Amino acid sequence: PASRGAPPPEPRHSMPLSYPKTSSQLLLGNSHLYVFVRLYHIVIERLAAAREMAAKASEAKGDEPMGDVGGAGGENGAAEAVLSAASAEQAARAKMIAALKEEAGGDLYRVFLLALRQLVEAKLEASTYEDILRTLLGSNAYILFTLHKILSQALKQLQMLLVEETSTRLLQLYAYERERVRCGSMCEGTYRNNCRALLEGDDAFSMEQMYAADGGELALSFLRERDAEDEGEEEDGTAAAEDEEDEEEEEEEE
């Protein structure tokens, strides 16, 4: 049984869709946290798209076995004939793709990850990386051409979170709010008030991961400094005070 001091179960974070969900995870933060979460979400979406394109490309090509990949074995003669007719650049690219396929065991998604890693480590030129993706994943792979730049921006934003004091305190507040109540029963009102106290009037953002049996949804929104209900109560109170003043003025005139 969960206690008030118990942390949330690890599977909730490491495998968010491994069991049915009836709740959500809410993170309140500043612009630094918002930008990082948005970039991280884009990276996850692009990786999911790459996996889907790789699966479709593998089905279209019939999932070539290891023996059919590369320039070795019984295909040496045919490979040499193709390479001799191609330019030196095309030959080098074909050789690189063959090497990546061999290292990845023919898994096109792993080939993409290897190529992306080499690009990030400056071992591969951007133009060569783009040609490899177009060859392996098709024309829709263009959405992956700038993934290394998004990763770089996300890494810089993550570093900012670790050194910026307010961001660090907001992450500590999130951990505190998750631990002080049982899983799935966070008091959102208290969390918002504590978050606003830390931000001291700065912009606040709500980042909520909502779960479902067949997937999930990430909701990002700007969090106004004061709730609409509070503003409505203040307006009602102001209007009532004005009415009382008008009545007092009328009585004095009489």
Side-chain angles (χ1 to χ4, degrees), residues 43 47 116 120 146-156:
V43 170
L47 292 177
L116 177 62
V120 171
T146 59
L147 184 55
H148 63 292
K149 296 181 180 180
I150 300 175
L151 286 170
S152 177
Q153 293 174 4
L155 179 59
K156 291 179 181 178

Side-chain angles (χ1 to χ4, degrees), residues 101-157:
K101 282 186 175 181
E102 184 175 1
E103 184 177 355
D107 187 337
L108 296 186
Y109 181 70
R110 288 186 59 196
V111 172
F112 154 70
L113 293 179
L114 289 172
L116 177 62
R117 180 173 181 176
Q118 291 189 13
L119 177 64
V120 171
E121 295 176 348
K123 297 179 180 179
L124 194 66
E125 294 184 359
S127 58
T128 305
Y129 167 76
E130 294 174 5
D131 290 339
I132 291 174
L133 295 192
R134 272 193 295 262
T135 302
L136 296 177
L137 304 180
S139 59
N140 290 332
Y142 70 90
I143 65 173
L144 306 173
F145 290 171
T146 59
L147 184 55
H148 63 292
K149 296 181 180 180
I150 300 175
L151 286 170
S152 177
Q153 293 174 4
L155 179 59
K156 291 179 181 178
Q157 200 66 31

Side-chain angles (χ1 to χ4, degrees), residues 18-76:
S18 61
Y19 65 96
K21 299 293 187 301
T22 57
S23 61
S24 62
Q25 289 190 74
L26 176 65
L27 171 63
L28 302 179
N30 55 8
S31 58
H32 297 305
L33 277 167
Y34 172 82
V35 172
F36 173 75
V37 170
R38 186 71 186 97
L39 290 171
Y40 182 79
H41 186 245
I42 293 174
V43 170
I44 295 300
E45 285 183 326
R46 300 287 173 88
L47 292 177
R51 186 183 293 276
E52 184 178 354
M53 284 186 281
K56 291 181 179 179
S58 296
E59 292 177 1
K61 294 179 181 179
D63 294 322
E64 296 178 357
M66 281 291 297
D68 295 334
V69 177
E75 293 188 352
N76 278 343

Side-chain angles (χ1 to χ4, degrees), residues 8-25 40-41 44 174 178 183 208-218:
E10 290 300 326
R12 186 179 184 85
H13 305 282
S14 59
M15 295 184 295
L17 301 180
S18 61
Y19 65 96
K21 299 293 187 301
T22 57
S23 61
S24 62
Q25 289 190 74
Y40 182 79
H41 186 245
I44 295 300
Y174 171 76
R178 294 290 298 178
C183 181
E208 185 175 12
Q209 176 66 50
M210 295 174 286
Y211 297 110
D214 56 347
E217 181 180 4
L218 177 64

